[in-house]
Amino acid sequence: MASGNDSSVTEFILLGLTQQPDLQLPLYFVFLGIYVVTVVGNIGLLILIGVNSHLHTPMYYFLFKLSFIDLCYSSVITPKVLMSFVKQNIVSYVECMAQLYFFSFFVIDECYILTSMAYDRYVAICKPLLYKVTMSHQVCLMLMLGAYMMGFVGAVTHTVCMLKLTFCDGNIVNHYMCDIPPLLQLSCTSTYINELVVFIVVGINVIVPSLTIFISYTLILSNILHIRSTEGRAKAFSTCSSHIMTVSLFFGSSAFMYLKPFPAGFLDQDKVSTVFYTIVGPMMNPFIYSLRNKTVQIALSKTLKKRVFS
């Protein structure tokens, strides 16, 4: 086979989110709307941060990267979801492995971008006098390079392990994308190594960032409680609330999906869980950070006024 794998399977059929005919068309328009909002929201946030020089700070540098990652991995997943609502969604073996690679890469990147954002908030609130030095351009760049490196290593590890499996006859994937658990169920060879790799790689890329974020916000909370003025505490809380919401949505659903024993069959609730961090999350993040962030709201208002009156 062209892929170099000794499997007899050359293509996979993605079953999609649901097999109920009466739900196909309504869900198509729902997910099309979500994707349009995701693209417009994230591109809008990218443009807004790019054209406003006062947003060129570490906090918005990471937010810019988060929007870019959300846009990318939503585009890796959602078009295939939409296709499954209107016709049989058939992907080649190579396309399936490519989707698995890019999905893994972008999701792991997001883990570490969210971690970097938590560290940025910790320095801003707990070490304000050292903020410019601690969160210098070089430090931000190194954090991003570290995120990309972890994404690359994790994605390559998952993909190479999947390429070593043999798929004999079964090619129907009970999912709307080429994800690890449903693909492992189709293998006619042992998946023990793959499951071990998933547990280790996902464990590192979920538990380590989660623990770092938890420690950061524990220190932040302790610092906030020592602020005497109510206004000061409210302002400090407001700078963190958006990030906490994003972290809870992303890590909660991804941990539920991967940090558990793989069931005998890929269940519908597993699909729903992945929807939250692959489709809903990228749509919600621009709104979470814009509707709850006065700086972004002011920048948006000024930008719109310039465009209207120019």
Side-chain angles (χ1 to χ4, degrees):
M1 194 172 68
S3 64
N5 185 277
D6 60 355
S7 302
S8 60
V9 171
T10 59
E11 61 185 21
F12 293 99
I13 299 174
L14 303 179
L15 287 184
L17 193 61
T18 179
Q19 291 298 295
Q20 299 184 35
D22 55 331
L23 292 179
Q24 300 286 354
L25 190 60
L27 285 176
Y28 173 82
F29 287 108
V30 168
F31 280 86
L32 177 62
I34 289 174
Y35 185 57
V36 170
V37 171
T38 300
V39 171
V40 172
N42 283 289
I43 289 179
L45 198 53
L46 289 172
I47 294 173
L48 186 66
I49 295 173
V51 301
N52 287 275
S53 57
H54 68 282
L55 295 181
H56 295 174
T57 63
M59 177 181 175
Y60 297 103
Y61 171 81
F62 292 125
L63 183 55
F64 183 93
K65 298 298 183 182
L66 179 66
S67 290
F68 176 73
I69 293 296
D70 281 342
L71 181 64
C72 288
Y73 89 77
S74 177
S75 297
V76 168
I77 302 300
T78 312
K80 288 294 183 183
V81 178
L82 294 173
M83 189 179 299
S84 67
F85 289 131
V86 295
K87 66 176 183 178
Q88 189 177 56
N89 193 2
I90 300 175
V91 296
S92 70
Y93 180 89
V94 174
E95 287 176 320
C96 190
M97 294 301 110
Q99 186 187 51
L100 173 64
Y101 171 82
F102 285 109
F103 166 68
S104 301
F105 176 78
F106 290 127
V107 167
I108 295 172
D109 282 351
E110 179 136 344
C111 290
Y112 289 97
I113 291 174
L114 292 173
T115 306
S116 299
M117 294 173 77
Y119 178 68
D120 171 74
R121 291 301 83 206
Y122 159 74
V123 176
I125 294 173
C126 300
K127 309 285 184 182
L129 298 179
L130 299 175
Y131 183 74
K132 289 187 177 180
V133 176
T134 307
M135 297 304 296
S136 64
H137 177 72
Q138 290 79 7
V139 171
C140 293
L141 184 60
M142 289 300 295
L143 287 172
M144 284 309 308
L145 288 176
Y148 290 142
M149 181 58 67
M150 292 299 292
F152 173 77
V153 172
V156 167
T157 302
H158 284 313
T159 308
V160 169
C161 287
M162 192 64 68
L163 288 169
K164 290 182 177 297
L165 294 180
T166 300
F167 300 95
C168 302
D169 299 315
N171 69 336
I172 299 178
V173 180
N174 184 23
H175 205 358
Y176 55 79
M177 65 177 180
C178 290
D179 199 3
I180 297 169
L183 286 175
L184 293 184
Q185 292 165 12
L186 297 180
S187 174
C188 53
T189 51
S190 174
T191 61
Y192 173 77
I193 298 298
N194 297 73
E195 293 180 22
L196 183 62
V197 166
V198 169
F199 189 78
I200 293 173
V201 174
V202 175
I204 291 172
N205 293 316
V206 170
I207 293 175
V208 172
S210 298
L211 188 61
T212 304
I213 291 170
F214 176 77
I215 293 172
S216 296
Y217 276 108
T218 299
L219 296 173
I220 288 171
L221 180 60
S222 175
N223 189 274
I224 289 175
L225 293 176
H226 285 85
I227 298 176
R228 293 184 177 182
S229 69
T230 304
E231 183 180 351
R233 287 197 297 268
K235 184 177 180 181
F237 271 121
S238 67
T239 63
C240 301
S241 59
S242 299
H243 186 250
I244 292 173
M245 292 173 63
T246 301
V247 167
S248 300
L249 177 64
F250 181 80
F251 282 101
S253 55
S254 58
F256 172 81
M257 178 65 207
Y258 294 102
L259 294 182
K260 64 177 182 178
F262 292 129
F266 194 72
L267 306 176
D268 288 340
Q269 57 261 38
D270 294 322
K271 295 183 191 180
V272 174
S273 178
T274 59
V275 165
F276 281 101
Y277 71 89
T278 60
I279 298 175
V280 176
M283 177 191 71
M284 293 297 296
N285 287 346
F287 295 98
I288 291 173
Y289 282 98
S290 59
L291 295 178
R292 299 182 61 85
N293 189 308
K294 290 184 178 180
T295 305
V296 173
Q297 292 174 7
I298 293 170
L300 177 61
S301 177
K302 289 182 178 180
T303 303
L304 291 176
K305 286 179 181 178
K306 287 181 182 179
R307 296 294 180 269
V308 171
F309 296 107
S310 60

